[in-house]
Amino acid sequence: MKCIRFTTLLYIASVIPKRKNIPSDAETIPLLGHSMQAIALPKNGTITYELEIENDGDYELTTELIPTHPTDSGDLRFSIGIDGATPEIFSLKEPFRSERWKTNVLCGQTNRQITRHLSKGLHSLVFKALDEHIVVDRVRFCIFSNDNDNFTPQ
């Protein structure tokens, strides 16, 4: 397993949860995104993911979306709720030609992260599009360790 160092943290494992309950009015777009199967969600559309965690720990959830632009001068918001907790709201809207906007366009992806402590067992994640033009590429959970010398890959 390849490990990548992030400052003082050591990347140990990445898990891509299983998609479930994709709404019928969502559109899967073949060959789009790093997943090659991005999903365009309508406003208020949700995707539920399930994830089996093998070890307790602090996990970073990364949502990877296709950078889009609101044609209605609105926002590009979505929410993430884990295990029924109050969802956290994110915005993808960036100032035109800002450094982050440029990076998103050049990479073909825009990312948002949150860190949560998860216990061993089955967890659910609900991704909800709060505005139009939300295109989901991938969702990943990564576990990190501060112990750079002694670790066991998950």
Side-chain angles (χ1 to χ4, degrees):
M1 165 182 258
K2 182 178 180 182
C3 293
I4 304 168
R5 292 184 186 271
F6 292 97
T7 61
T8 61
L9 297 178
L10 182 63
Y11 170 76
I12 294 180
S14 176
V15 179
I16 298 176
K18 296 177 185 175
R19 291 180 185 162
K20 295 185 76 172
N21 304 331
I22 298 171
S24 60
D25 53 350
E27 178 185 2
T28 300
I29 306 168
L31 305 177
L32 180 62
H34 296 257
S35 68
M36 303 296 283
Q37 55 183 355
I39 297 176
L41 279 177
K43 184 175 182 174
N44 296 317
T46 62
I47 301 175
T48 302
Y49 294 86
E50 284 190 349
L51 173 71
E52 183 75 30
I53 296 292
E54 294 182 13
N55 297 302
D56 291 1
D58 291 329
Y59 287 80
E60 180 180 80
L61 165 68
T62 301
T63 55
E64 302 172 353
L65 294 95
I66 303 299
T68 58
H69 185 75
T71 56
D72 56 4
S73 299
D75 204 341
L76 294 167
R77 297 171 303 139
F78 68 93
S79 68
I80 296 285
I82 300 174
D83 294 334
T86 302
E88 188 165 336
I89 297 174
F90 297 88
S91 176
L92 300 176
K93 192 171 182 180
E94 302 290 349
F96 185 64
R97 296 198 186 253
S98 67
E99 288 305 311
R100 191 168 186 178
W101 177 87
K102 290 175 190 177
T103 300
N104 293 345
V105 172
L106 289 172
C107 292
Q109 194 175 75
T110 182
N111 302 319
R112 297 295 184 270
Q113 293 87 17
I114 57 173
T115 301
R116 295 287 181 270
H117 184 83
L118 297 175
S119 58
K120 179 178 179 174
L122 187 64
H123 296 272
S124 68
L125 175 140
V126 176
F127 181 103
K128 183 176 183 178
L130 301 177
D131 295 302
E132 298 289 345
H133 317 293
I134 298 293
V135 183
V136 183
D137 188 2
R138 294 188 299 192
V139 173
R140 292 183 297 121
F141 280 88
C142 297
I143 185 169
F144 294 88
S145 171
N146 285 318
D147 187 356
N148 289 334
D149 296 322
N150 301 304
F151 74 93
T152 303
Q154 307 290 310

